[in-house]
Amino acid sequence: AQSVTQPDIHITVSEGASLELRCNYSYGATPYLFWYVQSPGQGLQLLLKYFSGDTLVQGIKGFEAEFKRSQSSFNLRKPSVHWSDAAEYFCAVGAAGNKLTFGGGTRVLVKP
Amino acid sequence: NAGVTQTPKFRVLKTGQSMTLLCAQDMNHEYMYWYRQDPGMGLRLIHYSVGEGTTAKGEVPDGYNVSRLKKQNFLLGLESAAPSQTSVYFCASSATSGPTQETQYFGPGTRLLVL
């Protein structure tokens, strides 16, 4: 069975500093990997996804993620955080047939 | 183009009451899903549908039923609500082909409180 672990429940970062959110997955074959962001009281918005090809994926809002097969990881990064990036971030793994398994989420707080 | 919409946005039920949550999508997606979100647990799949007239169980299906009578609608029913079903419910849909295949698009959520 597939699973996703986001080791950090909360992260606090200063505005303008860099951000990295960790995601580790367990899946038997080549996975489809996703990062979603959820602002308070809102639904989930897709930030980026990896299906195949280049292991460094660019997304919206200046985010990127790197797929590392050897480490079963898909970490999300942003070089300079804005106050509007305060939200909860979810990593998810999927397969053909579209069933997704989500991690528990990482809540990001941004200090002025 | 509204994407995925959910009705209602918020509901309070008493234990034992029933209700139906409606999800509608206007993207002509084949696949639709219902998730529940609880603190620290991410989203867990309740039921899903791979096409009109079909449904299947997800990770946490007990206490819920679903129907997909029309391609654009996916209904989630609670026959006898329990406090453990207090949660935020999200509907999602996805395409089976094209540039956005395998990507799920989410509705804004329904907050359900069961007393």
Side-chain angles (χ1 to χ4, degrees):
Chain A
Q2 58 204 51
S3 66
V4 178
T5 301
Q6 294 180 245
D8 304 304
I9 297 174
H10 293 101
I11 286 182
T12 300
V13 60
S14 297
E15 192 168 15
S18 63
L19 174 69
E20 181 166 12
L21 304 183
R22 296 183 290 164
C23 172
N24 294 99
Y25 68 89
S26 172
Y27 188 68
T30 300
Y32 297 158
L33 294 160
F34 304 81
W35 275 99
Y36 283 88
V37 61
Q38 183 181 33
S39 298
Q42 302 297 314
L44 277 72
Q45 181 183 21
L46 180 70
L47 282 176
L48 48 79
K49 61 187 178 186
Y50 171 80
F51 286 177
S52 64
D54 193 345
T55 57
L56 185 62
V57 180
Q58 302 297 319
I60 62 171
K61 305 187 179 187
F63 285 93
E64 67 177 24
E66 187 171 12
F67 171 57
K68 293 185 176 180
R69 184 188 302 275
S70 62
Q71 298 178 18
S72 297
S73 68
F74 189 55
N75 293 349
L76 182 70
R77 298 192 292 256
K78 186 169 184 177
S80 178
V81 169
H82 187 261
W83 64 265
S84 60
D85 294 322
E88 190 157 20
Y89 293 79
F90 293 94
C91 181
V93 62
N98 302 67
K99 290 173 63 177
L100 289 183
T101 298
F102 285 82
T106 298
R107 187 170 298 278
V108 174
L109 303 177
V110 180
K111 294 190 301 184
Chain B
N1 189 337
V4 180
T5 58
Q6 293 182 231
T7 310
K9 289 185 170 53
F10 179 70
R11 184 76 183 267
V12 178
L13 288 180
K14 295 181 179 178
T15 297
Q17 286 185 319
S18 64
M19 77 163 295
T20 300
L21 282 67
L22 171 64
C23 175
Q25 53 96 2
D26 61 3
M27 297 175 283
N28 201 35
H29 285 170
E30 287 292 333
Y31 287 21
M32 296 186 74
Y33 315 81
W34 275 107
Y35 293 90
R36 59 177 290 170
Q37 181 181 30
D38 303 291
M41 304 185 73
L43 278 74
R44 293 180 292 168
L45 183 64
I46 304 172
H47 286 280
Y48 64 101
S49 167
V50 300
E52 182 177 322
T54 72
T55 63
K57 294 180 180 180
E59 181 185 353
V60 288
D62 294 341
Y64 305 95
N65 57 74
V66 288
S67 64
R68 182 104 180 265
L69 299 179
K70 293 182 179 180
K71 184 177 183 179
Q72 63 268 34
N73 295 336
F74 195 28
L75 279 63
L76 178 70
L78 286 72
E79 291 185 348
S80 179
S84 60
Q85 294 178 304
T86 293
S87 188
V88 182
Y89 292 86
F90 287 99
C91 177
S93 69
S94 64
T96 56
S97 62
T100 66
Q101 70 177 71
E102 312 291 354
T103 299
Q104 294 187 18
Y105 294 87
F106 285 81
T110 295
R111 292 185 175 275
L112 176 64
L113 174 62
V114 183
L115 301 174

